[in-house]
């Protein structure tokens, strides 16, 4: 048996993170001739909350580069540091100009005449020490103007310092208020009300295997120009032997047909058809259980209230992709409105008729996909919701069940189709008898 070489240069794993599953080429066996062995599990590249699990190190001139773009630095830092910078900037400016006024008063001799001689005119009235100069600096920069301390015409330097401090104070106010407003108006928190399903699923949709996940918006305000995209991230070795620890491969979600742009009013299931151009084309159910990849999903759009672009991110590991599952319906019609039940947002149900082979095997072997069942789970949930909205208070429950149950001929036909498709009887009871 020929064993594939395991690359030892891994920058995304550690000793204490457990074992991960990988594949080695073999002579025979299910799963495209691969034998499955255990390997160290690598970390998630993008966390479920959208944060990137990346830490920068050994950056040259980091402080100088961050200070060169001080405005963005102030917007990106945490609020505790932002408030500290806000306080320090004002206090230090007051102290600096207070010290300047104190030096002017000291050189002019104002401190030697604290009683206020009638024949002596100080530069700044009632500035007899550093504390008084500090208070005068605060009054000047904040334009409080108590009227107790003021500059005189005796010292042109003091007049210049008052003008200069007023200009510097305006610049500091504009910068700090602008940074705080930009930090408060950031659409980053808007992503907290954009949901991704906990799991992605692979099931049949319109005659072919599809990768699906669900997105939703918890606010009534819309995301303008919302569009989605996805990437598959996994380690790869090139033909030249170069090891790429995080190779990014685009996953087509309908960009060429405009299907990536969505109207996110109610939860929507995003589809990726697994075809010849899909990176999942050769993956079967058994391969998925031992696969080592991560699917990063991104939702972008403009916040309706501020017209600022926001981005929500999440990811699915191979263990979080459920083969042969579908999402439970969340949208129901009740009287004259459509109701979204978010309690079913993350829930899935199993579809036993889903082929376990890969999409590649289905194409090469010309696998015939069974047609859809007469009574599927989504249809019954929709019928049940419609009947519950129309039923009376007294006998509505039995009437809904009566409308939901097919007649004798329909049930006989359904059982005949079920027998020809060799479906599991327990699945039929689960999906047809609610």
């Amino acid at each position: 048996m020929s064993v594939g070489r395991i690359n030892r240069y891994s920058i995304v794993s550690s000793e204490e993170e457990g074992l991960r599953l990988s594949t080695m080429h073999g002579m025979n066996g299910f799963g495209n001739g691969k034998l499955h062995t255990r390997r160290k599990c690598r970390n998630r590249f993008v966390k479920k909350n959208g944060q990137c699990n990346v830490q920068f190190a050994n950056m040259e001139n980091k402080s100088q580069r961050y200070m060169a773009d001080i405005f963005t630095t102030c917007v990106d830092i945490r609020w505790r540091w932002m408030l500290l910078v806000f306080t320090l900037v004002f206090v230090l400016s007051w102290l600096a100009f207070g010290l300047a006024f104190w030096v002017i008063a000291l050189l002019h001799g104002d401190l030697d005449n604290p009683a206020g001689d009638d024949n002596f005119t100080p530069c700044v009235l009632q500035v007899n020490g550093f504390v008084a100069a500090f208070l005068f600096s605060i009054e000047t920069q904040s334009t409080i103007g108590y009227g107790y301390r003021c500059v005189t015409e005796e010292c042109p330097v003091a007049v210049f310092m008052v003008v200069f401090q007023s200009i510097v104070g305006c610049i500091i106010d504009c910068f700090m208020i602008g940074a705080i407003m930009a930090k408060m108006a950031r659409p980053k928190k808007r992503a907290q009300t954009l949901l991704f399903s906990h799991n992605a699923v692979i099931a049949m949709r319109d005659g072919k295997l599809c990768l699906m996940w669900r997105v939703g918006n918890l606010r009534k305000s819309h995301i303008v120009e919302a569009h989605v995209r996805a990437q598959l991230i996994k380690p790869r070795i090139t033909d030249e032997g170069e090891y790429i620890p995080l190779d990014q491969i685009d996953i087509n979600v309908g960009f060429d047909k405009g299907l990536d742009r969505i109207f996110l009013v109610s939860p929507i299931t995003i589809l990726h058809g697994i075809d010849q151009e899909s990176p999942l084309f050769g993956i079967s159910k058994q391969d998925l259980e031992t696969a080592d990849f991560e699917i990063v999903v991104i939702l972008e759009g403009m916040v309706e209230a501020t017209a600022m672009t926001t981005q929500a991110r999440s990811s699915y590991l191979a263990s979080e992709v459920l083969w042969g599952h579908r999402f439970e319906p969340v949208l129901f019609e009740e009287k004259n409105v459509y109701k979204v039940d978010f309690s079913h947002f993350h829930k899935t149900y199993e579809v036993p008729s889903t082929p376990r082979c890969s999409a590649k095997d289905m194409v090469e072997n010309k696998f015939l996909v069974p047609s859809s069942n007469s009574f599927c789970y989504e249809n019954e949930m929709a019928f049940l919701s419609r009947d519950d909205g129309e039923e009376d208070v007294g006998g509505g429950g039995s009437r809904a069940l009566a409308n939901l149950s097919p007649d004798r001929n329909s049930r006989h036909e359904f059982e005949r189709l079920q027998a020809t498709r060799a479906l599991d009887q327990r699945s039929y009871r689960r999906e047809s008898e609610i």
Side-chain angles (χ1 to χ4, degrees):
M1 181 179 65
S2 61
V3 180
R5 180 172 60 91
I6 301 177
N7 194 288
R8 61 188 179 90
Y9 301 101
S10 178
I11 64 172
V12 290
S13 62
S14 60
E15 294 293 337
E16 65 273 12
E17 287 163 1
L19 295 174
R20 75 173 171 183
L21 299 172
S22 64
T23 61
M24 294 191 302
H25 297 286
M27 297 296 295
N28 297 312
F30 188 82
N32 299 327
K34 298 176 182 178
L35 294 180
H36 303 278
T37 59
R38 300 187 67 84
R39 214 177 156 190
K40 295 178 182 178
C41 180
R42 65 184 181 90
N43 289 327
R44 188 188 294 269
F45 185 58
V46 177
K47 299 180 181 179
K48 298 295 286 186
N49 59 2
Q51 295 181 355
C52 297
N53 190 22
V54 178
Q55 183 178 4
F56 301 113
N58 301 325
M59 291 191 300
E60 296 182 359
N61 302 324
K62 178 180 178 180
S63 301
Q64 292 83 345
R65 295 177 185 271
Y66 276 61
M67 291 301 295
D69 189 9
I70 186 63
F71 186 83
T72 304
T73 302
C74 292
V75 174
D76 289 341
I77 60 176
R78 295 180 177 272
W79 273 107
R80 63 175 71 97
W81 300 113
M82 183 63 186
L83 296 177
L84 179 62
V85 171
F86 181 86
T87 303
L88 287 177
V89 167
F90 281 101
V91 172
L92 291 178
S93 64
W94 296 336
L95 288 173
F97 285 101
L99 179 62
F101 286 117
W102 179 79
V103 171
I104 292 174
L106 178 64
L107 296 178
H108 189 261
D110 297 350
L111 304 182
D112 298 333
N113 296 278
D117 190 0
D118 296 337
N119 297 324
F120 180 79
T121 303
C123 291
V124 182
L125 297 176
Q126 304 299 329
V127 175
N128 302 319
F130 179 77
V131 176
F134 177 72
L135 294 176
F136 177 72
S137 174
I138 296 176
E139 295 175 13
T140 302
Q141 186 168 332
S142 58
T143 65
I144 296 176
Y146 291 118
Y148 183 69
R149 299 180 180 87
C150 63
V151 67
T152 63
E153 300 177 356
E154 181 69 18
C155 300
V157 178
V159 176
F160 172 78
M161 290 302 300
V162 170
V163 175
F164 183 67
Q165 184 177 9
S166 299
I167 296 174
V168 173
C170 291
I171 295 175
I172 293 176
D173 291 342
C174 292
F175 181 86
M176 298 308 301
I177 294 175
I180 291 178
M181 290 299 299
K183 190 174 182 64
M184 293 178 61
R186 281 191 310 171
K188 184 177 181 180
K189 294 300 181 182
R190 181 63 174 89
Q192 302 297 325
T193 53
L194 298 175
L195 291 183
F196 292 93
S197 57
H198 292 330
N199 296 95
V201 299
I202 293 179
M204 298 298 300
R205 176 68 69 90
D206 295 330
K208 63 180 180 180
L209 284 175
C210 293
L211 172 70
M212 296 174 281
W213 66 92
R214 179 176 280 173
V215 296
N217 182 15
L218 296 181
R219 290 186 180 272
K220 290 186 177 181
S221 60
H222 297 170
I223 298 295
V224 183
E225 294 292 334
H227 58 278
V228 295
R229 54 193 180 96
Q231 287 187 334
L232 185 139
I233 299 178
K234 66 176 181 179
R236 183 175 70 91
I237 299 179
T238 65
D239 297 337
E240 296 77 16
E242 179 185 3
Y243 177 69
I244 303 177
L246 297 174
D247 186 32
Q248 301 182 10
I249 305 174
D250 285 335
I251 295 179
N252 187 12
V253 291
F255 176 77
D256 51 346
K257 298 180 180 179
L259 300 178
D260 60 323
R261 300 188 177 275
I262 58 178
F263 184 48
L264 193 59
V265 178
S266 61
I268 296 178
T269 301
I270 309 301
L271 298 178
H272 163 64
I274 303 178
D275 52 13
Q276 290 83 351
E277 298 180 356
S278 172
L280 304 175
F281 185 59
I283 294 181
S284 63
K285 181 179 180 180
Q286 185 174 358
D287 295 334
L288 182 64
E289 296 175 355
T290 58
D292 179 23
F293 63 81
E294 180 179 355
I295 298 176
V296 178
V297 293
I298 302 172
L299 171 62
E300 293 179 330
M302 291 188 299
V303 181
E304 188 179 32
T306 61
M308 300 181 69
T309 303
T310 184
Q311 183 182 92
R313 299 177 295 268
S314 186
S315 67
Y316 303 102
L317 298 178
S319 59
E320 297 172 338
V321 179
L322 305 179
W323 188 285
H325 282 246
R326 291 178 185 162
F327 289 107
E328 293 188 0
V330 295
L331 184 64
F332 306 97
E333 185 177 3
E334 290 188 357
K335 297 181 180 179
N336 59 342
V337 298
Y338 290 94
K339 178 182 178 181
V340 178
D341 187 0
F342 278 98
S343 63
H344 298 274
F345 183 84
H346 302 287
K347 295 181 180 179
T348 64
Y349 66 96
E350 187 176 0
V351 183
S353 60
T354 305
R356 298 189 176 187
C357 62
S358 64
K360 181 179 180 181
D361 294 336
M362 292 177 60
V363 173
E364 293 177 352
N365 300 330
K366 297 182 180 180
F367 181 82
L368 297 178
V369 181
S371 59
S372 59
N373 294 337
S374 300
F375 297 94
C376 67
Y377 183 80
E378 293 91 340
N379 293 339
E380 293 188 5
M381 291 293 292
F383 290 153
L384 182 61
S385 175
R386 184 189 64 182
D387 293 337
D388 288 342
E390 296 176 355
E391 67 182 2
D392 297 331
V393 178
S398 60
R399 184 173 130 197
L401 292 176
N403 292 335
L404 180 62
S405 301
D407 55 14
R408 181 177 302 176
N409 294 331
S410 299
R411 183 173 292 276
H412 177 71
E413 180 67 17
F414 175 71
E415 291 177 353
R416 185 183 66 82
L417 293 174
Q418 182 189 17
T420 58
R421 298 182 189 118
L423 297 180
D424 190 359
Q425 188 67 20
R426 291 178 298 177
S427 171
Y428 164 70
R429 288 198 300 267
R430 178 181 179 183
E431 296 184 11
S432 300
E433 296 180 4
I434 298 179

